[in-house]
Amino acid sequence: MATPSSPHQGQPVESAGLPLLEAQCAMVLVHGRGASAEDILTLVDELDQGGFAYLAPQAAGSWYPLSFRARLEENEPWLSSALDAVGNVVETVEQAGIPADRILLLGFSQGACLTLEYVARNPRQYGGVAGLTGALIGPDDAKREYAGRLDDTVVFLGSGDPDPHVPRSRVDETEAVLAGMGARVTKRIYPGLGHTVNHDEIEFVRGMMAGLLEFSS
């Protein structure tokens, strides 16, 4: 049940694909502002190639109320609760027997920001991370002092330029920070894309998934 200090607690987690106990790998999908878990699970139709369980946590409204560029304390307690929501899904997947290096995290827009911030704060080797139009959370002058390493985790950053919500400079910063933590980062900037997901991004993520399936077979 939600509390004032944990507004996302008790929200549902939607699923698609294989049951966790039958899957080789898992993907955690994090939706954007004003969207829903069911919305982001529509990507499964384009991504799925068997072998995966898909889980999508649902926010209680938006994951956090202000811009991702606001000071961190201004987005509390929603931000901490949102990070916990993602972490709870990852823990559920691990408890089902799928280790972190076979878990791929994907987010779009506000969900991409949350996903990227989650992996930076909880670094280890993940099966992959896809931030589709997002960047690390906090003000432009934030000191990025994350402890730990991402141990060659494959990270994909895709974004339009210009984007109405996520400046390219913040995507560039995120690339540098995550690479500095040991991630293998691919960044693709799409002039004039708009605030959406394109075919090239889908194909890159499909390639990440295929690599995981091969590794886990």
Side-chain angles (χ1 to χ4, degrees), residues 5-6 29 35 40-41 89-90 97 100 102 105 112 118-119 132 140 145 158 169 182 185-186 188 194 214 216:
S5 62
S6 188
L29 301 96
I40 199 157
L41 283 175
V89 178
V90 172
R102 286 195 272 131
L105 296 97
Y118 173 81
V119 300
L132 308 180
D140 293 346
E145 298 175 343
S169 61
V185 184
T186 296
R188 292 186 181 175
E214 182 178 0
S216 62

Side-chain angles (χ1 to χ4, degrees), residues 79-91 94 99-101 103 105 113-129 136-137 145-153 155 177-178 181-183:
L79 176 57
S80 291
S81 181
L83 291 165
D84 287 345
V86 175
N88 288 340
V89 178
V90 172
E91 183 178 353
E94 291 183 291
D101 63 3
I103 302 174
L105 296 97
C113 297
L114 184 61
T115 297
L116 294 166
E117 189 68 23
Y118 173 81
V119 300
R121 295 191 187 196
N122 300 274
R124 51 181 165 158
Q125 186 177 46
Y126 294 97
V129 179
L136 292 167
I137 295 173
E145 298 175 343
Y146 301 103
R149 304 286 294 171
L150 285 164
D151 295 337
D152 286 328
T153 295
V155 175
V177 170
L178 298 183
M181 296 177 69

Side-chain angles (χ1 to χ4, degrees), residues 138-215:
D140 293 346
D141 61 355
K143 293 182 179 179
R144 302 293 178 186
E145 298 175 343
Y146 301 103
R149 304 286 294 171
L150 285 164
D151 295 337
D152 286 328
T153 295
V154 175
V155 175
F156 175 72
L157 302 174
S159 187
D161 184 28
D163 182 86
H165 304 290
V166 183
R168 176 172 177 172
S169 61
R170 292 298 300 267
V171 180
D172 293 342
E173 178 202 34
T174 299
E175 174 190 26
V177 170
L178 298 183
M181 296 177 69
R184 292 189 286 130
V185 184
T186 296
K187 179 185 68 181
R188 292 186 181 175
I189 302 296
Y190 306 95
L193 173 64
H195 199 68
T196 188
V197 177
N198 68 12
H199 179 72
D200 186 68
E201 292 173 304
I202 293 294
E203 287 303 303
F204 194 98
V205 175
R206 282 179 57 84
M208 295 170 70
M209 296 168 67
L212 271 190
L213 289 169
E214 182 178 0
F215 170 75

